[in-house]
Amino acid sequence: MNLPPFQTLVDEHARSLYRFLCGMVGPVAADDCLQETLLAALRAYNGLSHDGNLRGWLFTIAHRKGIDHVRRYAKEIPSPSPPDRASPPQTVRDTDLWNRVARLPPKQRTAVTLRYLGDLPYADVASVMSISEPAARQNVRAGLASLRKDFI
Amino acid sequence: MSKVADRIRNLPSGGHTAAVDRFARRAVERGSARVAFSAVESPIGDLTALVTPRGLLALAFETDDLDRIMESVATKVSPCIVRAPSAIGQVRSWLDSYFDGRPPPMPGLDHSLITPFQERVLAATAAIPLGEVRTYGQVASLAGNPKAARATGRALGANPIPVVLPCHRVVASDGRLHGYAGGLDRKRLLLDHERAISV
């Protein structure tokens, strides 16, 4: 099997992985999670038995790293203060929207960020979240509806 | 496409490059980057050095097809290839010294892209003293196959580590430069440079 050079994946997907992780854990932790995602992917890359959907594979790892981070954070700091996901990156002007995305229920937030920050097709959103494609669509729709309601 | 979705698409951007740099450094430190590469400036144009933990694997001219080289390395050595300037410090200082006129001893090399015959041919070129040249026939003899001048030419043409393994010191029997993967201008520059620093 001919896998492309790992750097090709980094060049093509690091930006959207980072955007997705920003949506999931906030920009400070996203930096860390992106490093961990790429390190884990690189370690597993040589033994990879498929070269089909490498982007989906990367996002699945990133999703897991994001969940690990949220769990670890919840364990380490038993206070009600949320992870830094509420603080937008400096490059973001739409602070208000950012905060609302961060406050969506976890499944909706993950689905919305995979779809619109990670730029994934619904089939990949579904496989990353281990849910059906209709369920993925439903989570994105519900997330958008609740954001739209906040804005009008 | 709803407006909210558009606004989400426009949320964060950039900011990932610092994380990618840190990832690359850690991947090299941990040895999970089996092949690391980076560009190096030189008087003969930018070079791209590819290294493994064993040593220098390949050196590419800016005129080379880097994508094709990377694909071949991915197949023949490992697809775990990462851009990491931190990994090529030794190659960079070897090239700096060489172009400064103080050619250092041969750096550590990884021969994974070199065939056994090619290895003999390239070892023969490495034995040509600085500032001198040999013909294809002479190098074929040195490599143990006096009749294989043509095969020797092919082996030299496919040298994955030019400059360091000095295939540029091999010329046609009438003294013409004949050919070079990096182009005849580079071959001339390298030979002129070596003549100048060997006196």
Side-chain angles (χ1 to χ4, degrees):
Chain A
M1 183 182 43
N2 286 336
L3 290 167
F6 189 78
Q7 186 64 42
T8 315
L9 303 191
V10 176
D11 291 342
E12 280 171 19
H13 304 304
R15 183 170 174 274
S16 52
L17 285 166
Y18 177 77
R19 282 160 56 88
F20 160 62
L21 285 165
C22 279
M24 233 187 128
V25 298
V28 178
D31 188 291
D32 231 39
C33 288
L34 179 59
Q35 292 181 51
E36 294 302 328
T37 299
L38 295 176
L39 283 168
L42 181 61
R43 265 198 307 277
Y45 196 51
N46 221 2
L48 207 62
S49 56
H50 66 88
D51 61 356
N53 187 353
L54 293 171
R55 180 178 60 175
W57 173 69
L58 283 172
F59 272 88
T60 303
I61 298 173
H63 182 229
R64 213 158 50 221
K65 293 293 173 190
I67 289 176
D68 285 353
H69 170 85
V70 172
R71 287 204 186 121
R72 202 166 47 237
Y73 195 94
K75 223 177 274 174
E76 275 170 15
I77 301 167
S79 77
S81 69
D84 68 34
R85 64 167 176 262
S87 61
Q90 283 146 352
T91 42
V92 176
R93 270 158 299 179
D94 213 337
T95 312
D96 193 33
L97 174 61
W98 181 258
N99 289 333
R100 284 167 205 268
V101 170
R103 282 198 297 269
L104 286 175
K107 270 193 173 179
Q108 290 179 20
R109 186 180 69 237
T110 303
V112 166
T113 49
L114 280 171
R115 180 77 183 100
Y116 295 111
L117 294 175
D119 239 350
L120 293 190
Y122 281 108
D124 286 358
V125 175
S127 88
V128 169
M129 296 179 68
S130 303
I131 56 179
S132 70
E133 200 174 316
R137 283 178 190 277
Q138 174 51 32
N139 273 302
V140 170
R141 213 163 26 232
L144 287 187
S146 120
L147 292 169
R148 214 172 283 132
K149 195 172 62 207
D150 286 342
F151 276 111
I152 297 168
Chain B
M1 171 61 60
S2 67
K3 274 188 194 154
V4 172
D6 272 342
R7 283 176 63 184
I8 298 170
R9 273 191 211 281
N10 292 330
L11 272 177
S13 61
H16 66 286
T17 49
V20 169
D21 289 347
R22 279 191 282 274
F23 147 72
R25 210 170 309 130
R26 291 170 70 190
V28 169
E29 283 164 11
R30 293 178 181 194
S32 38
R34 305 289 171 79
V35 181
F37 71 96
S38 181
V40 197
E41 285 178 17
S42 90
I44 55 169
D46 279 357
L47 302 167
T48 301
L50 289 84
V51 301
T52 72
R54 288 196 221 165
L56 180 58
L57 176 73
L59 200 61
F61 299 111
E62 59 193 355
T63 42
D64 285 335
D65 183 349
L66 198 56
D67 288 343
R68 203 186 51 77
I69 293 173
M70 292 293 175
E71 273 162 31
S72 143
V73 169
T75 313
K76 291 180 187 160
V77 183
S78 167
C80 299
I81 306 173
V82 172
R83 186 188 297 110
S86 67
I88 63 143
Q90 271 186 311
V91 179
R92 189 176 278 122
S93 60
W94 191 94
L95 288 166
D96 285 349
S97 304
Y98 170 82
F99 284 113
D100 276 355
R102 298 171 283 107
M106 191 68 73
L109 302 180
D110 184 325
H111 286 201
S112 301
L113 300 175
I114 298 175
T115 64
F117 175 65
Q118 208 177 12
E119 195 160 344
R120 291 209 304 279
V121 170
L122 291 170
T125 68
I128 304 170
L130 197 77
E132 296 182 22
V133 293
R134 296 288 184 273
T135 66
Y136 289 93
Q138 285 171 325
V139 169
S141 297
L142 286 168
N145 281 31
K147 289 182 186 158
R150 202 173 289 260
T152 299
R154 274 197 302 274
L156 293 170
N159 176 12
I161 319 177
V163 186
V164 176
L165 287 172
C167 61
H168 56 273
R169 292 179 198 158
V170 186
V171 299
S173 50
D174 61 3
R176 284 182 302 122
L177 293 184
H178 190 73
Y180 192 55
L184 289 183
D185 285 344
R186 283 201 181 86
K187 189 168 185 172
R188 196 172 296 116
L189 276 168
L190 289 169
L191 289 175
D192 288 349
H193 169 66
E194 293 186 350
R195 253 193 304 276
I197 63 176
S198 65
V199 287

